[in-house]
Amino acid sequence: VLPVAAASVQFSRPRARPRSARALAGAMNATSGLEGGAAAAPLLALYASGLGWSGIDTKLPSEGSMPPLPPVCSWEFLSLVAMSIVGPYLFCCLTYAYHFSRLERTDVKMRILPQDIPKPEHRYDWRTALSRPEGISAVVGYIAVIILLGPVTQIYDVVPFAIKDLTPTIKPLVLLAYFLTFDFLMWCIHYCQHHWSWLYHHTHDQHHLIKSPTIVVALTGYLPDTCLLIIVPFHLTQVLVPFGNFVTVFAFASIALWHLHMIHSEFSHPWDPALKSLGLVTTHDHHVHH
């Protein structure tokens, strides 16, 4: 649906805007430049459809609209900030709980040879992993920076359009577009890291010092690696994919973060056969990569 709709879309000539940082940031995040023709309109409506409590919502954002975030001093804004800052840490704790729940099971482990057994600190030291600057703290730092630059200080608004749309619906096709875009961008960067020696040794090689990774050390490595391989494609995905909203971004980020941890596991998962049948990376594949 997305390629067909994108091919049918005509881009309208933007109106003259002040050459200010705020205007440039608004143009970067806006999806209002999309003006569909007769053939594209139904496809765009289908692509942007959201599932909510009241059923299916096919309403597109109004042309030229930039949904405002709640006032900085409001409880709604503070709740969103708390969810964005504390949520990733809680989510990592859930992945660690899953890790420890299956750690003592021998029927699911893939690594039984002495040279393949992970180091004890990579299995059990979840507190250090949680506090490492290149881990989930880097993602939280990215969220904090865009909030401070945009809504709080209004220095430069780099908050993606989707984050500002608080419509309580999830958009399945937009969610799929997020995954396809993020995976493609991440694959390109990862490919360059492994085929450009300078880039590999200045970003990614620290992560590959771990020959037998675990869920606990999924994000362990080097801060420039996390910024380049995770944060950059994550932000670009939100900017490039149109008609997203906060709920869909939250679902996408949660599933992507979960999968990123799971493929570093030392044991197989019940869903690995399904991923393999779809041609997607599994835990075994990523262990061979390491």
Side-chain angles (χ1 to χ4, degrees), residues 69-72 74-88 140 143-144 147-148 151-152 246:
L69 285 171
V72 173
S74 67
W75 284 109
E76 187 179 10
F77 181 83
L78 295 177
S79 299
L80 290 173
V81 171
M83 183 190 305
S84 302
I85 300 299
V86 180
V140 171
I143 296 171
I147 291 175
L148 285 174
V152 177
F246 181 85

Side-chain angles (χ1 to χ4, degrees), residues 77-96 126 130 135-144 147 246 250 254 257:
F77 181 83
L78 295 177
S79 299
L80 290 173
V81 171
M83 183 190 305
S84 302
I85 300 299
V86 180
Y89 288 107
L90 294 177
F91 191 84
C92 279
C93 288
L94 288 176
T95 64
Y96 299 157
W126 63 271
L130 195 65
I136 197 63
S137 295
V139 179
V140 171
Y142 151 76
I143 296 171
I147 291 175
F246 181 85
F250 187 84
S254 299
L257 187 62

Side-chain angles (χ1 to χ4, degrees), residues 119-133:
K119 297 179 179 179
E121 60 268 28
H122 293 170
R123 277 180 163 176
Y124 301 106
D125 194 3
W126 63 271
R127 292 179 179 86
T128 299
L130 195 65
S131 61
R132 293 182 69 93

